[in-house]
């Protein structure tokens, strides 16, 4: 499964890239606004830090003609830019146009399998199914992800199912369990994936035993 980090913060991208386990970065208008930096400048820096990753940059217009102009603009910035498009009527038409031109897309704000079907039929590269925002409403966000993975596999669509709005490591474990292709998450959640108390406890025990025995790797005597 691909791991993306969901951020507009360059330092977070830099740290995540240093770990060597991320396959891309997703941004959205709120994250870019929060970064306090320009959109193009931020996207280009992210492309530099994650040279082999897919970097999602979202259009903000809601009419087809302006969305198309914005899509062509952001996709001209770097070959790794994936145009992020909301699941609205002109958005789906735009995804079809871009897909016919070989421009990759990430359809965002998807909450149901029937919405996901429209994205898949239009040729979306990624379908961003939000889970946390549904869980926040006392529903189970992962149900639609599971149905979407099944839909894509049953009918042989090329789209990859991207789990978005991830709130905690259990969402990541559930994404793996339902066979999602990608999970994108805030930097904080990515960092939490490292953590297990038995890892800390076990490492302390190993090192205490090693040090008590006075052993060394670099200056090993025998
Ligand atoms: C996805 O690409 C979105 O940017 C993101 O996952 C939204 O997450 P939120 O619901 O925590 O804002």
């Amino acid at each position: 499964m691909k791991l993306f980090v969901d951020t507009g913060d360059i330092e977070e991208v830099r740290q995540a890239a240093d770990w060597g386990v991320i396959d891309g970065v997703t941004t959205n208008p709120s994250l870019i606004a929060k970064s306090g930096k320009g959109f193009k400048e931020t996207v280009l820096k992210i492309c530099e830090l994650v040279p082999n990753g897919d970097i999602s940059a979202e259009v903000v217009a809601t009419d087809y003609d302006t969305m198309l102009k914005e899509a062509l603009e952001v996709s001209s910035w770097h070959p790794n830019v994936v145009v992020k498009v909301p699941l609205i009527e002109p958005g789906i038409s735009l995804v079809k146009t871009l897909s016919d031109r070989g421009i990759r897309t990430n359809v965002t704000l998807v909450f149901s399998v029937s919405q996901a079907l429209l994205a898949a039929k239009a040729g979306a590269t990624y379908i961003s199914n939000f889970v946390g925002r549904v869980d926040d409403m006392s529903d189970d966000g992962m149900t639609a992800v599971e149905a979407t993975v099944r839909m894509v596999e049953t009918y042989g669509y090329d789209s990859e199912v991207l789990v978005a709005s991830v709130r905690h490591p259990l969402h990541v474990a559930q994404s793996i369990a339902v066979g999602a292709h990608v999970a994108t998450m805030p930097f904080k959640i990515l960092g939490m994936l490292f953590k297990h108390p038995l890892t800390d406890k076990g490492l302390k025990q190993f090192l205490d035993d090693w040090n008590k025995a006075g052993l060394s790797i670099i200056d090993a005597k025998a």
Side-chain angles (χ1 to χ4, degrees), residues 104-125:
R104 295 178 308 143
T105 55
N106 174 355
V107 176
T108 189
L109 292 168
V110 177
F111 293 89
S112 71
V113 66
S114 42
Q115 287 182 310
L117 176 66
L118 300 173
K121 288 185 74 71
T125 312

Side-chain angles (χ1 to χ4, degrees), residues 171-189:
H171 278 152
V172 181
Q174 290 169 330
S175 302
I176 297 165
V178 301
H181 305 90
V182 193
T184 190
M185 65 207 72
F187 176 74
K188 185 179 163 203
I189 308 299

